[in-house]
Amino acid sequence: MNSEFSAVPITKHVYWVGAIDWNIRDFHGYATSRGTTYNAYLIMDKKITLIDTVKRPFFPEMLARIRSVVDPARIDIIVSNHAEMDHSGSLPEAIELIKPEQVFASSMGTVALQDHFHWKTKVLSVKDQEKISLGELELQFFETRMLHWPDSMFTWIAREKLLFSQDAFGMHLASARRFADELPGNILVEEGANTSPTSCCRTRP
Ligand SMILES: [Fe+2]
Ligand SMILES: [Fe+2]
């Protein structure tokens, strides 16, 4: 397999399995001169979990990255932190392929996803601060309405000190690098100032 499409380890249990959009130059109104990144994460625990998906045309790329770690059919849970299509565009295909036990979103996210997809698929609403156990790790959900849409929520793994923050602290940037400290500071400052939220970049744990 092309190593370009491998998962990137973030912690012992968590891998980045998103996609890089090198060519996009207009992200619904935002100039994206350096492209953008769609972030999805795989958590390997007793309950294998996928956090978010990617824009629909990039579904095969996400799948290839997941397959570099695990057969996608073994995923038990999908969490949707944000209903916009750069996070949820592949959710119908992912659900169809994976047939997860459970799909979770915020209460507003559940409504937004049903509106987008007219699903019969049941998406379970999680409450603010609700926790679920994956085995060794525990996920905790936080409603973050208007950070940056009404449906937005964060997922937090306290033990790994890892926050899946959807678009709240992001920027538009395509890069082969996954960690902020691998990138020139001036690019981070420039893109952080330029763009309203989308995905990408955290400092290395
Ligand atoms: Fe968004
Ligand atoms: Fe986004």
Side-chain angles (χ1 to χ4, degrees):
M1 183 191 298
N2 187 338
S3 62
E4 187 190 352
F5 289 164
S6 291
V8 180
I10 303 287
T11 64
K12 185 181 156 202
H13 292 90
V14 179
Y15 296 82
W16 178 84
V17 292
I20 304 166
D21 191 343
W22 298 96
N23 299 317
I24 191 167
R25 291 294 176 267
D26 180 340
F27 186 92
H28 51 77
Y30 292 102
T32 50
S33 62
R34 292 189 174 98
T36 198
T37 302
Y38 310 118
N39 289 319
Y41 298 90
L42 181 70
I43 306 171
M44 294 301 295
D45 202 339
K46 193 167 173 208
K47 294 281 185 191
I48 300 174
T49 300
L50 179 64
I51 307 272
D52 285 335
T53 66
V54 296
K55 202 173 180 180
R56 196 173 174 205
F58 293 83
F59 181 57
E61 182 172 334
M62 180 185 77
L63 220 47
R65 293 189 198 276
I66 293 171
R67 284 195 173 116
S68 72
V69 179
V70 70
D71 176 357
R74 289 188 51 210
I75 293 172
D76 301 289
I77 292 170
I78 300 180
V79 174
S80 174
N81 277 334
H82 184 25
E84 282 197 303
M85 292 294 102
D86 54 318
H87 302 249
S88 298
S90 324
L91 201 48
E93 285 85 353
I95 289 171
E96 178 71 24
L97 180 81
I98 293 167
K99 296 182 178 54
E101 280 172 27
Q102 287 165 318
V103 182
F104 292 114
S106 68
S107 56
M108 297 290 278
T110 304
V111 173
L113 291 171
Q114 301 285 5
D115 281 353
H116 278 308
F117 297 124
H118 307 289
W119 273 338
K120 293 192 180 89
T121 304
K122 187 155 174 56
V123 181
L124 299 170
S125 293
V126 289
K127 294 188 181 68
D128 184 43
Q129 300 187 43
E130 187 173 335
K131 294 177 181 177
I132 61 166
S133 173
L134 303 182
E136 275 191 56
L137 302 175
E138 194 172 61
L139 301 184
Q140 187 170 20
F141 306 107
F142 293 91
E143 269 198 24
T144 55
R145 289 187 192 191
M146 303 321 293
L147 277 177
H148 70 121
W149 281 107
D151 61 83
S152 297
M153 77 172 185
F154 289 174
T155 301
W156 165 242
I157 304 178
R159 203 173 117 180
E160 305 255 89
K161 293 188 171 58
L162 199 55
L163 182 69
F164 302 95
S165 56
Q166 41 91 27
D167 283 345
F169 308 116
M171 64 180 69
H172 289 285
L173 183 61
S175 171
R177 309 291 178 195
R178 294 275 61 79
F179 296 94
D181 63 4
E182 298 173 321
L183 286 154
N186 64 313
I187 291 180
L188 297 174
V189 169
E190 200 179 304
E191 294 301 340
N194 267 352
T195 41
S196 144
T198 186
S199 331
C200 188
C201 302
R202 64 191 287 277
T203 48
R204 197 190 294 266

